Amino acid sequence: LTPMMLDQAEKKWSASKPASYRLVVSMEGDRVERGEFEVQVQKGVVTSVKRNGQIAKPASGQDYSMEGLFKIIHEEIDLAEKPSLLGAPEGYSAYLMARFDDSTGRLRHYRRAVGGISNSIDIQVLRFEPLAEPGR
């Protein structure tokens, strides 16, 4: 994954994103407790986040909406520039891989692996569905 690939996907998403949608995201890793997040976005605003079926109040910018996922990946790219921040021994790198939807740019799957240490993270969009606007 390169910053240019991420920017291209984000531009496609911005141009094609529905105003309202629902998605289910799975996140797990060596240092992250596995979680499944169900997120509802209405008219561009996150209206509900559930983690493992329980209502969650995520920190600002960590709402697991598609925009929130792009923000996380931007942060990951910044961290990967200094692998030692992710715990990598001297001389090791962080490896970032991502798959985006060809037509909409939305994230499908993201994975980070760090050489020389167990510090991976895996984010998968399990379901994504645009929602009809009320009154349409």
Side-chain angles (χ1 to χ4, degrees), residues 37-38 46-59 64:
F37 300 86
E38 186 176 329
V46 174
T47 56
S48 146
V49 177
K50 290 182 182 173
R51 183 176 196 262
N52 299 330
Q54 303 294 314
I55 294 173
K57 298 277 185 226
Y64 305 99

Side-chain angles (χ1 to χ4, degrees), residues 1-2 6 25-29 69-80 86 94-100 106-114 119-125:
L1 174 66
T2 65
L6 180 59
V25 178
S26 141
M27 184 180 293
E28 60 188 313
L69 295 174
F70 277 117
K71 182 178 187 292
I72 289 169
I73 297 172
H74 276 289
E75 291 167 357
E76 287 277 312
I77 284 177
D78 291 345
L79 284 171
L86 294 166
Y95 305 94
L96 311 181
M97 296 148 274
R99 277 196 338 260
F100 300 97
R106 72 176 173 80
L107 179 69
R108 288 186 175 274
H109 187 219
Y110 170 78
R111 178 162 178 73
R112 177 229 308 143
V114 181
N119 188 6
S120 67
I121 193 162
D122 195 80
I123 300 171
Q124 234 175 329
V125 177

